[in-house]
Amino acid sequence: MYRTGSIDRPAPVRACPRGRADRTAGGLRLVAAGHRTFGAKPATPADPFLVRLYSDMAGQYGTTFDRERLERANRNTFAEMAAELLGVLPPFADPFDLVLVASAVPDFDTRVSAASYLTEALPGAPLAFAVGEQGDAAPHTALRLAAQYARQGQGRQVLLTVMDQTTVPSDPLPPRQGEGARDSAVALLLAEEGPGAPLSVRQESALGADDARALLAEALGGPLSDGAAPAVILGPGFDARRDLPAGFSGEVLRPSPEFPCTGAWAVLAEHLPRWTGSRSRVLVADYEPEVGQLSLSQADFALADVVPAAAA
């Protein structure tokens, strides 16, 4: 069901002051993107397997299993959402090398796998794996890993999916998984060559707020060729008034709090049509203050060889 591989060269790591680690990666282009939201399914009696699973887990991790929450939950699996995402992307002419599934909260039903589904649904025989337990940093980490594979000839065409599911029948809930959260999925179609905006990723850990603010200002520094400032999609770990550099004149977009992990990437997918063919540089910036994790992913439309396709 899974195909595994190894990386001969690790991702570059540079020693930074105060124990910080900086990891940068590039080499892939953003070809297309799409976003879908998913509503609730009708309430139904809880699946006995899931009842036993969550009851056992609650006892081990000091939480309380909420059976009623499970019965009323949306219950959209990552695999179901992945199937819908394929319909919003352009037709696939080339085989895939790599599929990644990024999420802040794992899929609620362990019996199904979005990664396995996608390896069967997509052309080629892609390597597939998931990236999680990193909060908002997970999609950035997945992008960085995809670029590392591409540099070794294993990422000619890549699909990155970012997933939010709210079927978490526990008390307390994970961060930002309250009543306002919604099920959501984003697909990013990436390629090593051809059309699309070049991507780059920078991640640093063990950063205090002042250091994160300084590196954000550095990433936003420098005007574009036409003198305009870049655009920034600012994640919930940043405050626009406090953290953006003084005098910053670029466009600032904020993700919806309804989508804990997919929010910033949903904004990228939504605005891709108007950035396509422009001279824009767009930065997705996330910061996890609890662990000091900074993630900065940039799409440079000014360097696109051919305009990327915008998914519906």
Side-chain angles (χ1 to χ4, degrees):
M1 187 162 53
Y2 297 96
R3 180 166 64 87
T4 61
S6 62
I7 300 179
D8 295 328
R9 294 178 298 166
V13 177
R14 175 174 59 83
C16 294
R18 293 184 292 280
R20 300 182 316 198
D22 168 51
R23 303 171 178 87
T24 60
L28 288 173
R29 293 173 175 267
L30 176 61
V31 178
H35 175 224
R36 282 290 181 268
T37 58
F38 302 85
K41 296 179 179 178
T44 186
D47 185 302
F49 171 84
L50 295 178
V51 169
R52 179 175 179 181
L53 173 67
Y54 281 110
S55 297
D56 290 346
M57 291 178 62
Q60 293 183 33
Y61 292 97
T63 61
T64 300
F65 168 56
D66 189 333
R67 182 176 184 135
E68 183 182 358
R69 183 189 296 276
L70 178 60
E71 294 176 341
R72 294 185 291 104
N74 292 343
R75 302 188 309 282
N76 295 301
T77 68
F78 287 174
E80 291 171 328
M81 292 193 279
E84 291 288 328
L85 282 177
L86 295 184
V88 306
L89 295 174
F92 305 128
D94 300 314
F96 282 80
D97 287 333
L98 188 63
V99 171
L100 301 99
V101 179
S103 65
V105 175
D107 204 351
F108 76 94
D109 192 338
T110 60
R111 296 169 296 184
V112 293
S113 167
S116 294
Y117 165 77
L118 290 168
T119 61
E120 296 294 327
L122 296 172
L127 169 68
F129 59 90
V131 178
E133 302 295 332
Q134 296 189 24
D136 296 328
H140 300 269
T141 300
L143 277 176
R144 181 170 56 82
L145 292 173
Q148 178 67 25
Y149 275 88
R151 287 201 296 271
Q152 299 179 71
Q154 301 178 69
R156 289 165 296 180
Q157 183 160 255
V158 177
L159 180 65
L160 168 58
T161 63
V162 186
M163 304 286 190
D164 272 324
Q165 67 87 14
T166 57
T167 304
V168 186
S170 65
D171 185 15
L173 289 170
R176 293 158 51 201
Q177 284 286 328
E179 294 298 327
R182 296 172 61 194
D183 290 1
S184 167
V186 173
L188 302 179
L189 180 61
L190 315 171
E192 185 179 10
E193 298 178 347
L199 294 167
S200 60
V201 184
R202 178 175 187 172
Q203 289 187 294
E204 294 204 31
S205 58
L207 284 181
D210 290 342
D211 289 328
R213 190 178 303 117
L215 290 177
L216 174 63
E218 178 184 309
L220 292 172
L224 304 177
S225 57
D226 60 1
V232 59
I233 303 172
L234 203 62
F238 283 113
D239 180 274
R241 292 185 178 182
R242 179 194 65 207
D243 297 322
L244 288 175
F248 178 71
S249 60
E251 182 179 17
V252 181
L253 299 166
R254 300 304 301 264
S256 170
E258 297 174 305
F259 310 125
C261 193
T262 57
W265 309 95
V267 173
L268 180 64
E270 176 187 353
H271 292 273
L272 182 61
R274 68 181 179 88
W275 286 326
T276 294
S278 72
R279 307 297 294 173
S280 299
R281 177 162 57 92
V282 180
L283 183 72
V284 180
D286 279 306
Y287 177 57
E288 296 270 4
E290 294 82 4
V291 295
Q293 178 74 35
L294 175 71
S295 299
L296 304 170
S297 293
Q298 179 176 270
D300 197 335
F301 294 92
L303 299 179
D305 292 339
V306 183
V307 295

